[in-house]
Amino acid sequence: MSGTSKNGPAKSLTIHQDAQIMIDKAREEGITTVWDRLADQQPQCGYCALGLSCRNCAMGPCRIDPFGEGPQKGVCGADADVIVARNLGRTIAAGSSSHSDHGRDILEAFGDLARGQATGYRIADEGKLRRIAAEVGVVTEHRTVEEVATDLTNVLQEDYGTRRGSLSFVARAPEVRRARWDALGITPRGIDRENVEMLHRTHMGVDNDYVNTLLHALRTGLADGWGGSMIATELSDVMFGTPTPVMSEVNLGVLKTDQVNIAMHGHNPLLSDAICTAAEDPQLVELARSVGAKGINIVGLCCTGNEMLMRRGVPMAGNHLTQELVLITGALEAMVVDYQCIMPSIVDVAKCYHTKIISTSDKAKFTGATHVPFEPEHGAKIAEEIVRIAVEAYPNRNHGRVRIPGQPVKMMGGFSIEAILGALGGTPKPLVDAIAAGSIRGAVAVVGCNNPKLPQDLEHIELTRRLIENDILVLVTGCAAVANGKAGHMVPDAAAMAGPGLRAVCEALGIPPVLHVGSCVDNSRIMVLMAALADYLGVDIDQLPVAGAAPEWYSEKAVAIGAYVVASGVTTVLGVQPPVFGSPHVVGLLANGLESVVGATFVVEPDPAKAALFIRRHIESKRRGLGLSCFEPETLGIDDNESAHTVPVGAAVGA
Ligand code: SF4
Ligand code: SF4
């Protein structure tokens, strides 16, 4: 291994000092990180970057010459439009499958729990269980929790494979939106069905009409957002508790020099919840003391971290690009992983220290890791075994190599939709009133990943800062939430960073201007909120003054999220160019054509100032459509004054 500085100084790779210190430590210790490997990959393939390469069959691989001089058709005759659309469809299917398979794992554990076959789990929110069950047609009156949970399991399992009409939770979308999906033929029918059909359609010689392929890609995304992800979120709330506002801390400073540190990384709360419980076991705490530690410290990474923070206030070590850096502190006894967004490289980095990498999912093994298969039926016992492995690693820690950089930053999490509505008095009315009065101009979901092609978290926090300064409420999930937490945007005092209208609302409610809504599957919560706002106003979602943004996305799951958010009527700004620019027709459809079809489009804008400007104009145009007071969108320009309230207030026009 050889860590190098070929990517420039650490401060050009990440905006956070804790991460910069760890990148420098990696270089001093000769450890390779994601940024080194990105440099080694240069130049990356231009055909793939444009979506113009295809290896869907053994007559290929094929590529289309974007300059028009070389081949314009693959061996089978597929042109740029077909190849780009097929690649995008497969990407969305992979992302949708990932979220939905996570949802299936939760559902199966929930079924075990209903049958009394899962140890260490319970129904934490019976009220929500009965609400959801009644919503999907399960009889709840005069029935036990177990009976209701069993019937709910059966209904939701049908959503995966056998349902023929539409998914259960699609009924939550406004009627007018559902009618639009029906008219387009994109109402999701079965979660597995849409994903399988996407793979079928993109086999050589099936769907050779790029518009038809892309419409099914939207349907595949909808099967995620209103299906697999929503099931994951709702059942996680039932089993582990519906989040309520909770204070926590974030950055690498959450590690403890004198405790056994265990980082939980991945996505599924089934494992992490059991580990949190095991870490409080007096016998294991005593074992930790017997090996010289003062206790057991659980910290989170990525979306597993978000799940734990949202429900238990467990501290968060960092987001996607922090996963190698947390190992480089030398202070981690174990990194326990399930699946998704876990770089294979962590095994190599951990070998440089005493840290155990413990894989737990039979569908996500890592060569060189210690594999402890996790079965929800024996969740409590397996979690104890994992914590014991971590504790027993503590005596091997080389304290001379430990460096925990800086102090953690406070952040608030726990803003489920129930919590948001609870803070508003149980109804969207106060939020709608604040939007109607103009004190809040609108709301934006800033979501998604880190990508090493961009300085870590820069886009997330620059975009968010500009939005809240302009009285736009920001909802965050996933790694975007962690980024904003580290930046100090997610404490009630951050209301001082907001424009005067948003600031007043936040101060009155005691909430931050940037609300942590949860993990990546919890983007489904945002869909539920949008539907509730639209229903309250009697409009469709695409008429709301809202937008989405994924400034630093990297993952196939992010593309699936973008697909269902746009298909649901929310225009979404991407900060990283998706591999579609090899087909002007596909780009035209995504950036313009979808407007007349679903009322929303994709926008690619890597500059956070320009992205914020676009979103402000978009929100003002939606306000005008609703007959609300608005600024003339064309009067809004970029103002780089770092601290100014950048909306030109004098440009407001009455409704
Ligand atoms: S499906 Fe067509 S374009 Fe793709 S690899 Fe096969 S022959 Fe080439
Ligand atoms: S936001 Fe992206 S990188 Fe972060 S956990 Fe979710 S999918 Fe993974």
Side-chain angles (χ1 to χ4, degrees):
M1 288 202 168
S2 61
T4 70
S5 55
K6 54 195 164 196
N7 256 329
K11 66 175 189 256
S12 69
L13 309 182
T14 172
I15 61 169
H16 301 293
Q17 204 178 17
D18 62 335
Q20 291 164 8
I21 291 168
M22 286 303 102
I23 291 170
D24 286 337
K25 183 169 185 277
R27 288 170 174 172
E28 282 159 22
E29 297 184 357
I31 296 172
T32 299
T33 65
V34 62
W35 291 280
D36 301 310
R37 294 188 297 275
L38 176 63
D40 289 344
Q41 285 291 334
Q42 301 308 314
Q44 290 176 304
C45 175
Y47 294 105
C48 292
L50 293 171
L52 286 174
S53 51
C54 179
R55 53 180 178 78
N56 286 10
C57 87
M59 293 190 287
C62 305
R63 74 263 181 272
I64 304 298
D65 183 353
F67 303 110
E69 292 165 8
Q72 295 302 295
K73 298 269 175 80
V75 176
C76 67
D79 61 14
D81 298 339
V82 169
I83 289 175
V84 169
R86 284 195 311 213
N87 288 338
L88 182 61
R90 286 196 166 204
T91 298
I92 290 171
S96 174
S97 299
S98 302
H99 283 148
S100 299
D101 204 40
H102 163 172
R104 188 201 323 269
D105 286 342
I106 303 270
L107 177 58
E108 289 182 347
F110 180 72
D112 288 344
L113 174 61
R115 291 185 295 273
Q117 293 171 356
T119 65
Y121 300 107
R122 65 191 178 92
I123 301 293
D125 189 341
E126 183 181 335
K128 183 155 187 172
L129 166 69
R130 290 185 181 275
R131 250 189 351 266
I132 296 171
E135 183 186 343
V136 301
V138 171
V139 176
T140 59
E141 286 173 8
H142 311 301
R143 301 188 75 205
T144 65
V145 164
E146 291 75 20
E147 288 168 340
V148 172
T150 300
D151 283 1
L152 178 60
T153 302
N154 293 337
V155 171
L156 296 181
Q157 275 177 338
E158 278 195 15
D159 278 348
Y160 275 87
T162 59
R163 187 168 288 268
R164 290 196 181 152
S166 70
L167 303 179
S168 300
F169 291 139
V170 163
R172 293 177 168 185
E175 196 176 339
V176 58
R177 176 66 28 183
R178 282 182 275 136
R180 203 189 283 227
W181 291 338
D182 282 344
L184 286 167
I186 63 170
T187 299
R189 301 155 295 180
I191 297 164
D192 291 342
R193 177 177 180 168
E194 307 311 352
N195 286 310
V196 168
E197 186 171 319
M198 190 77 253
L199 295 180
H200 177 197
R201 284 179 184 234
T202 52
H203 186 281
M204 199 294 282
V206 185
D207 197 351
N208 292 307
D209 179 300
Y210 76 94
V211 175
N212 206 40
T213 304
L214 291 175
L215 283 174
H216 186 73
L218 294 183
R219 183 184 233 175
T220 306
L222 289 170
D224 174 6
W226 298 85
S229 279
M230 204 168 276
I231 289 171
T233 294
E234 298 295 60
L235 293 187
S236 294
D237 283 357
V238 170
M239 290 178 74
F240 307 117
T242 303
T244 55
V246 60
M247 285 304 299
S248 188
E249 295 184 322
V250 60
N251 78 23
L252 290 171
V254 300
L255 297 173
K256 309 272 191 218
T257 50
D258 53 4
Q259 296 198 25
V260 173
N261 290 305
I262 303 175
M264 301 299 305
H265 182 13
H267 283 76
N268 193 320
L270 286 171
L271 168 69
S272 53
D273 196 80
I275 294 279
C276 288
T277 302
E280 292 165 358
D281 181 321
Q283 284 187 342
L284 288 169
V285 173
E286 189 48 45
L287 181 67
R289 292 206 178 105
S290 74
V291 297
K294 288 195 173 146
I296 302 170
N297 182 39
I298 306 290
V299 301
L301 283 166
C302 288
C303 278
T304 282
N306 283 320
E307 298 277 1
M308 297 192 300
L309 188 150
M310 286 284 286
R311 297 194 178 87
R312 290 177 174 257
V314 171
M316 173 69 86
N319 47 5
H320 185 55
L321 289 180
T322 313
Q323 60 184 288
E324 293 174 318
L325 306 182
V326 68
L327 295 164
I328 291 163
T329 63
L332 206 60
E333 274 55 58
M335 180 180 285
V336 185
V337 303
D338 48 37
Y339 42 56
Q340 298 172 17
C341 301
I342 301 153
M343 293 186 196
S345 64
I346 58 168
V347 177
D348 295 330
V349 177
K351 277 186 196 147
C352 303
Y353 303 92
H354 68 300
T355 312
K356 300 276 187 197
I357 301 292
I358 303 175
S359 57
T360 58
S361 169
D362 286 348
K363 58 184 116 177
K365 292 191 177 179
F366 293 69
T367 303
T370 302
H371 189 64
V372 181
F374 186 76
E375 299 155 353
E377 307 93 280
H378 311 294
K381 188 164 166 294
I382 294 168
E384 283 170 26
E385 180 188 341
I386 289 171
V387 173
R388 186 178 298 275
I389 293 171
V391 171
E392 288 172 350
Y394 183 80
N396 300 327
R397 187 193 286 187
N398 180 345
H399 293 271
R401 285 182 72 197
V402 169
R403 178 128 193 232
I404 298 175
Q407 293 299 313
V409 175
K410 299 256 183 252
M411 71 181 285
M412 184 182 253
F415 288 95
S416 59
I417 300 312
E418 290 86 342
I420 292 173
L421 292 179
L424 296 171
T427 149
K429 184 172 186 305
L431 180 57
V432 171
D433 288 348
I435 291 173
S439 44
I440 296 178
R441 310 300 304 170
V444 175
V446 178
V447 307
C449 324
N450 289 144
N451 187 319
K453 294 176 178 174
L454 302 168
Q456 182 192 19
D457 293 347
L458 177 67
E459 313 274 319
H460 285 309
I461 69 158
E462 279 296 306
L463 174 62
T464 302
R465 182 179 61 77
R466 289 167 191 274
L467 295 175
I468 63 174
E469 280 177 358
N470 286 284
D471 290 328
I472 295 169
L473 179 68
V474 174
L475 310 176
V476 285
T477 60
C479 290
V482 185
N484 278 286
K486 284 186 273 184
H489 290 170
M490 294 168 71
V491 287
D493 285 351
M497 302 166 80
L502 178 60
R503 175 179 182 164
V505 172
C506 291
E507 286 177 347
L509 295 173
I511 60 172
V514 182
L515 301 181
H516 192 338
V517 180
S519 64
C520 292
V521 293
D522 293 338
N523 286 310
S524 60
R525 296 190 199 277
I526 297 174
M527 292 295 94
V528 173
L529 180 63
M530 297 298 141
L533 289 173
D535 280 342
Y536 186 83
L537 288 166
V539 300
D540 197 355
I541 293 174
D542 67 306
Q543 294 172 264
L544 297 174
V546 300
E552 301 180 25
W553 73 276
Y554 94 89
S555 157
E556 291 165 317
K557 293 177 291 171
V559 187
I561 293 168
Y564 74 69
V565 170
V566 168
S568 298
V570 180
T571 286
T572 296
V573 182
L574 306 176
V576 178
Q577 184 171 305
V580 296
F581 281 78
S583 165
H585 289 133
V586 170
V587 171
L589 181 68
L590 298 176
N592 292 309
L594 287 179
E595 180 68 45
S596 61
V597 179
V598 293
T601 62
F602 288 96
V603 176
V604 178
E605 180 48 75
D607 180 334
K610 290 182 182 158
L613 175 63
F614 168 82
I615 290 171
R616 286 164 54 204
R617 288 177 171 169
H618 175 76
I619 281 177
E620 294 303 321
S621 72
K622 295 293 177 183
R623 290 182 62 87
R624 180 190 291 132
L626 287 173
L628 303 176
S629 68
C630 63
F631 302 114
E632 293 295 349
E634 54 279 7
T635 67
L636 303 178
I638 295 178
D639 181 343
D640 279 329
N641 182 341
E642 292 297 305
S643 61
H645 175 54
T646 49
V647 165
V649 176
V653 294

